[in-house]
Amino acid sequence: MTLPRRGLTRRQFGAGVASFAMATATTARSEAALPTIDTHAHVFHRGLKLAPGRRYAPDYDAPLSLYLEQLDRNGMTNGVLVQPSFLGTDNSYLVDCLKRTGGRLRGIAVVDPVIPAGELGELDRAGVAGIRLNLVGQPLPDLASSEWKGLLAGVKAMGWQVEIQRNAADLAVLVPQLLDHGITVVLDHYALPDPKLGVTDPGFQSVLKLGASRNVWVKVSAPYRNGPAGENFAKGAYPLLRSAYGSDRLLWGSDWPHTQFEATQTYAKNRQFLDTLIVDKSERAQVLASPRPLFRF
């Protein structure tokens, strides 16, 4: 290394080199310390009581222990458990799992609109960070009704999110109503546009415009739920979502154990697809870390 001819003494120059090396090492440690968060997974076992009117129920177990193994094997620091629709509003297994993991996991519950405020508080203390509206095949809720207004007020007071699974055309109608209540919104699985239309679906185009609110997040998860060509769709949708929302408003989720797609999907396959989807390492690291404030890790 050549010393400068003037300006700095040997001691000053050496101190500068040491300072630069320390800063570089600090940056490297900081990047290595970034969390890697899986924002969408389900746990259950066949001994749990199933909800009446369910559309589907799996014939196998997906226990907490097995999910934690998936996180460890795939280098994930944290995870989010989403209440399965077939368990309805009984969140007891979800809460038990959260309590057993010492803060490594957060939860998204399914609740009745008339749930008492005290029960919301109990869920909050257990590590629940929001509620889910799985509206696939369901009538749209009347968010202007008194019971829904009461629930949304409670959600806002908790600083929670509302996570929605619904086709993009209906999201374009529902999400602005939630934003009017001051609610943070998370959209599942690329916002589920019409598989035949993909990114040209007018509903998906409307969802892109919601990014300007800075209070909507989108999960780049489960591309297979967007039709047989789901991975190709995801590759076309991601740049549009990144442009509309910013990578800090995009979330990754494994969708483990890939209910109804178990024969073709694995945790590792979905994690590896993320590397294909987001080639830039720093951008991918931001997407994996961006859920930290949203889920209060």
Side-chain angles (χ1 to χ4, degrees):
M1 183 179 293
T2 303
L3 290 174
R5 294 187 178 181
R6 60 187 178 186
L8 293 177
T9 67
R10 182 183 295 272
R11 178 178 294 179
Q12 288 171 330
F13 182 70
V17 170
S19 177
F20 176 78
M22 184 178 296
T24 301
T26 299
T27 300
R29 286 196 300 270
S30 177
E31 290 179 353
L34 284 175
T36 50
I37 304 170
D38 172 6
T39 66
H40 196 104
H42 309 288
V43 291
F44 50 83
H45 59 79
R46 282 167 290 182
L48 297 171
K49 183 180 179 180
L50 299 176
R54 61 193 177 277
R55 293 181 296 110
Y56 158 84
D59 59 357
Y60 59 91
D61 298 334
L64 174 65
S65 59
L66 189 53
Y67 176 59
L68 294 177
E69 286 182 21
Q70 302 303 315
L71 292 181
D72 293 340
R73 288 176 184 172
N74 291 276
M76 306 303 293
T77 61
N78 300 91
V80 179
L81 302 178
V82 179
Q83 173 76 344
S85 60
F86 50 81
L87 295 182
T89 59
D90 182 356
N91 298 284
S92 56
Y93 183 63
L94 173 73
V95 167
D96 178 59
C97 290
L98 296 179
K99 291 180 177 179
R100 288 160 55 191
T101 52
R104 186 180 186 185
L105 305 181
R106 294 288 184 265
I108 297 296
V110 173
V111 303
D112 191 287
V114 296
I115 183 174
E119 291 185 24
L120 288 180
E122 291 176 8
L123 291 172
D124 184 73
R125 289 186 290 276
V128 168
I131 64 170
R132 189 187 199 203
L133 305 182
N134 186 343
L135 300 175
V136 175
Q138 302 294 321
L140 295 179
D142 179 8
L143 299 181
S145 67
S146 58
E147 61 182 19
W148 275 100
K149 284 183 177 180
L151 175 60
L152 294 178
V155 167
K156 182 180 179 181
M158 293 286 180
W160 284 5
Q161 60 182 268
V162 172
E163 177 185 303
I164 314 177
Q165 179 168 264
R166 184 74 179 200
N167 59 285
D170 288 332
L171 290 175
V173 176
L174 278 173
V175 175
Q177 297 178 45
L178 291 167
L179 292 176
D180 286 344
H181 285 275
I183 300 295
T184 297
V185 180
V186 176
L187 307 180
D188 282 349
H189 311 325
Y190 296 89
L192 296 176
D194 183 334
K196 295 179 181 179
L197 299 177
V199 298
T200 65
D201 179 358
F204 183 75
Q205 293 296 317
S206 295
V207 165
L208 291 177
K209 295 176 183 177
L210 296 172
S213 73
R214 299 296 292 165
N215 209 26
V216 180
W217 305 61
V218 180
K219 291 184 181 178
V220 288
S221 57
Y224 45 87
R225 297 194 187 276
N226 283 277
E231 289 192 356
N232 288 333
F233 156 76
K235 291 175 181 178
Y238 178 77
L240 299 177
L241 290 167
R242 179 185 58 199
S243 177
Y245 286 83
S247 55
D248 63 326
R249 288 295 184 276
L250 300 180
L251 312 170
W252 178 76
S254 65
D255 194 38
W256 187 86
H258 326 289
T259 54
Q260 298 180 285
F261 290 87
E262 300 90 346
T264 60
Q265 301 298 319
T266 65
Y267 195 110
K269 179 179 180 180
N270 280 272
R271 175 59 190 85
Q272 290 163 9
F273 178 68
L274 182 67
D275 293 348
T276 302
L277 186 69
I278 311 176
V279 177
D280 183 85
K281 290 183 179 179
S282 61
E283 183 179 335
R284 187 167 65 244
Q286 182 176 33
V287 168
L288 287 171
S290 65
R292 179 166 50 185
L294 179 66
F295 290 94
R296 300 182 294 183
F297 281 112

